[in-house]
Amino acid sequence: MEKIGFVSLGCSKNLVDTEVMLGILKERHMTITDDLSLADIIIINTCTFIEKAKQESIQAILDAAQYKETGRCQMLLVTGCLSQQYKEELLKEMPEIDVLLGTGSWDRVWEAITTVRQGKRVCFMDDVSHLYDQKTSRLRTTPAYSAYVKIGEGCNNACTFCIIPRVRGKLYSRPIESIVAEVESLAKEGVKEINIIAQDTTSYGVDLVGYSLLPTLLKQLVTIKGISWIRLFYLYPHFFTEELMDLIIREDKICPYVDLPLQHIAQGVLERMNRKDSEEDVRKLVKKLAKKDRKLTLRSTFIVGFPGETEEEFFQLKTFLQETEFDDVGVFTYSQEEGTPAAKMTEQISEEVKEERYHTLMAVQAQVSEKRNRLLEGTEHTMLIERIEKEGEVCQAVGRIEIQAPEVDGLTYLDNAETVCPGDMVRVRIVQGFAYDLVAELV
């Protein structure tokens, strides 16, 4: 049996594409290996969101290509956003690549492999006009108790800094019945945590009916037996309604976790970014979310060093973080991405200033996060156990409580964990809160 090795880079949305491709190949009686030196076929699913991601993708391709000389690799497939954006350059400059698949061509992976075996090089770049569904084979690479579910593809927002609409296309939402059927199937497989993802999750359904169908979808998902946590990612402000807010607070299965990718707060920067929501809109929404007796954990991402960002505008952003007290924040330095309107803007900010602003904002947020986590001391939560660490007689469990998302947030550490196993969900009390992580005890 041929062995497939893979590297999946970038976001969780990209990971789902990787899992679907692996599922298709497993149906063709191929096995998966973690050791690329033993792989007959290697798939690199790439990211091109920012310059660092682009460079990481290129290096991963170069590293994988070496296994054609030092390992068993007979075929190298490059897929995803980098393939979509730079197909001509990759075909010309990297002859080691046998297959290029764009973001809408994941379902042609077997066809591509078959074509290469006939002695041809392959480049499939189809429109993103379809998504996987509940019937599509998928080999999950996440732990057995947790899964990502992609409810939509593409984006209609046209932010000036973002290449995603160009490489992923316009918003395309899956039918509700398809998503519900998939989650029901995952529940039967033992999945307890469902992580709902899309490029803009609150816009789900707008392309179908003209308004957000996210609340309608969630009302069906919460009825599925076996699912304990439903976590929502990438909740853009524009379609964040009162109904959605109340639903998150009211439904126990929906994690009280609000991930708002705000990017900035200064009106001038928001306008240059072509964001749909004004500074006033954002402040009103955040105030509402923070007012709910602080039952909701607030997370956001921000960009510093956007073209033309003045010291005053950066100070507004810094003050906004201090006043709002987000529980967690991700900060990115602006990346001048080829093909985006922002890349052509004058008043580009120097890398030195970007880095200075990045570290300033992270230092501010570290203080805020530590304050927020200390306020959790003495409170009780449900903890999902992810792994057990043993050192001599000491046994410690590592996992997450309901307000900590996989990959992006801190962890919770549980001492005296001899009675728990990975995948267990147990009640704990927080005993210590630090800037990023928590320490808990069993209740």
Side-chain angles (χ1 to χ4, degrees):
M1 294 178 69
E2 285 187 298
K3 293 184 177 180
I4 305 293
F6 72 94
V7 176
S8 189
L9 301 171
C11 63
S12 53
K13 299 181 288 293
N14 221 32
L15 179 63
V16 171
D17 293 344
T18 300
E19 293 177 342
V20 171
M21 286 188 286
L22 293 176
I24 292 171
L25 296 180
K26 187 180 179 183
E27 275 196 334
R28 299 288 179 170
H29 306 293
M30 294 183 170
T31 59
I32 311 301
T33 177
D34 293 330
D35 188 344
L36 295 187
S37 68
L38 300 178
D40 302 291
I41 298 173
I42 297 177
I43 301 173
I44 309 294
N45 197 4
T46 61
C47 177
T48 187
F49 183 59
I50 58 176
E51 183 61 30
K52 289 180 181 178
K54 196 181 304 179
Q55 294 303 320
E56 182 184 17
S57 294
I58 292 171
Q59 189 59 54
I61 296 169
L62 294 173
D63 291 345
Q66 293 181 5
Y67 289 108
K68 285 192 169 185
E69 302 294 334
T70 63
R72 293 172 46 177
C73 181
Q74 300 297 312
M75 197 182 303
L76 176 58
L77 286 72
V78 177
T79 68
C81 295
L82 191 76
S83 299
Q84 188 78 30
Q85 187 178 5
Y86 294 106
K87 51 183 177 293
E88 291 89 358
E89 293 89 338
L90 291 172
L91 284 172
K92 180 180 178 181
E93 298 177 16
M94 293 189 172
E96 304 92 342
I97 297 174
D98 300 292
V99 174
L100 281 180
L101 294 181
T103 52
S105 303
W106 51 266
D107 54 340
R108 300 181 71 182
V109 61
W110 176 249
E111 179 187 351
I113 290 173
T114 303
T115 304
V116 171
R117 286 173 175 162
Q118 297 171 356
K120 301 176 184 178
R121 208 175 180 203
V122 175
C123 180
F124 293 154
M125 296 288 154
D126 301 290
D127 291 337
V128 184
S129 57
H130 61 291
L131 272 168
Y132 78 103
D133 59 26
Q134 74 278 13
K135 298 177 183 178
T136 308
S137 297
R138 179 178 169 190
L139 180 61
R140 288 192 293 111
T141 59
T142 51
Y145 48 78
S146 181
Y148 291 101
V149 173
K150 182 153 53 167
I151 65 172
E153 184 62 276
C155 183
N156 290 344
N157 291 328
C159 298
T160 57
F161 57 83
C162 185
I163 197 68
I164 296 301
R166 182 173 171 180
V167 297
R168 290 278 178 179
K170 294 182 178 180
L171 174 65
Y172 183 89
S173 301
R174 285 175 67 186
I176 286 181
E177 57 269 22
S178 171
I179 301 167
V180 171
E182 181 186 9
V183 174
E184 288 175 339
S185 177
L186 290 170
K188 291 176 182 177
E189 294 174 13
V191 172
K192 300 176 181 179
E193 177 185 43
I194 296 295
N195 298 294
I196 301 294
I197 54 174
Q199 189 62 36
D200 176 356
T201 304
T202 35
S203 288
Y204 169 72
V206 171
D207 56 315
L208 302 176
V209 296
Y211 55 88
S212 177
L213 288 174
L214 185 59
T216 305
L217 171 65
L218 291 173
K219 288 173 185 176
Q220 294 194 39
L221 295 184
V222 296
T223 66
I224 297 174
K225 294 181 180 179
I227 300 300
S228 299
W229 287 353
I230 298 171
R231 191 182 307 279
L232 304 171
F233 285 92
Y234 316 117
L235 298 169
Y236 278 64
H238 197 64
F239 289 102
F240 203 117
T241 62
E242 288 280 354
E243 180 185 16
L244 177 60
M245 190 184 311
D246 292 340
L247 191 61
I248 294 172
I249 293 171
R250 185 177 73 250
E251 291 289 348
D252 291 337
K253 284 189 178 183
I254 303 177
C255 295
Y257 180 93
V258 175
D259 173 31
L260 287 171
L262 297 177
Q263 311 307 353
H264 217 281
I265 192 59
Q267 182 62 33
V269 178
L270 292 173
E271 289 176 359
R272 293 195 296 278
M273 287 180 168
N274 194 38
R275 300 290 285 180
K276 287 184 176 180
D277 300 279
S278 67
E279 175 184 351
E280 182 181 3
D281 294 332
V282 172
R283 289 186 182 276
K284 283 182 179 179
L285 175 60
V286 170
K287 190 174 181 180
K288 285 181 183 178
L289 293 168
K291 260 188 173 183
K292 299 290 182 178
D293 298 324
R294 202 57 192 238
K295 291 179 180 178
L296 299 175
T297 289
L298 302 183
R299 190 185 195 282
S300 191
T301 51
F302 295 96
I303 296 173
V304 294
F306 190 79
E309 182 189 53
T310 64
E311 287 290 343
E312 181 181 349
E313 288 170 332
F314 174 70
F315 180 75
Q316 284 182 256
L317 177 57
K318 176 184 171 183
T319 304
F320 180 59
L321 262 65
Q322 291 170 324
E323 293 174 347
T324 305
E325 295 189 340
F326 290 93
D327 296 272
D328 290 288
V329 160
V331 179
F332 296 89
T333 56
Y334 167 71
S335 180
Q336 192 174 1
E337 292 306 304
E338 182 182 353
T340 62
K344 299 177 183 178
M345 290 181 180
T346 58
E347 299 183 79
Q348 297 286 331
I349 307 295
S350 71
E351 294 301 321
E352 292 78 11
V353 171
K354 291 179 192 176
E355 287 296 322
E356 180 183 349
R357 291 177 180 178
Y358 167 82
H359 290 294
T360 298
L361 219 58
M362 290 302 291
V364 167
Q365 184 56 39
Q367 293 180 332
V368 173
S369 292
E370 183 170 4
K371 175 183 176 181
R372 297 295 310 161
N373 282 345
R374 282 182 175 174
L375 290 173
L376 293 174
E377 293 176 0
T379 60
E380 294 185 7
H381 301 266
T382 298
M383 177 179 175
L384 173 60
I385 307 298
E386 298 199 287
R387 67 177 186 269
I388 306 296
E389 297 179 347
K390 292 184 179 181
E391 186 174 339
E393 298 298 318
V394 178
C395 182
Q396 185 180 57
V398 184
R400 296 175 286 110
I401 60 174
E402 68 275 5
I403 58 175
Q404 293 172 316
E407 306 296 332
V408 296
D409 294 327
L411 297 168
T412 297
Y413 294 85
L414 177 66
D415 292 327
N416 303 317
E418 292 82 4
T419 60
V420 299
C421 300
D424 287 351
M425 301 187 83
V426 297
R427 291 296 291 176
V428 299
R429 181 182 297 108
I430 306 303
V431 294
Q432 283 184 290
F434 299 98
Y436 299 104
D437 300 323
L438 303 168
V439 177
E441 62 182 6
L442 285 170
V443 174

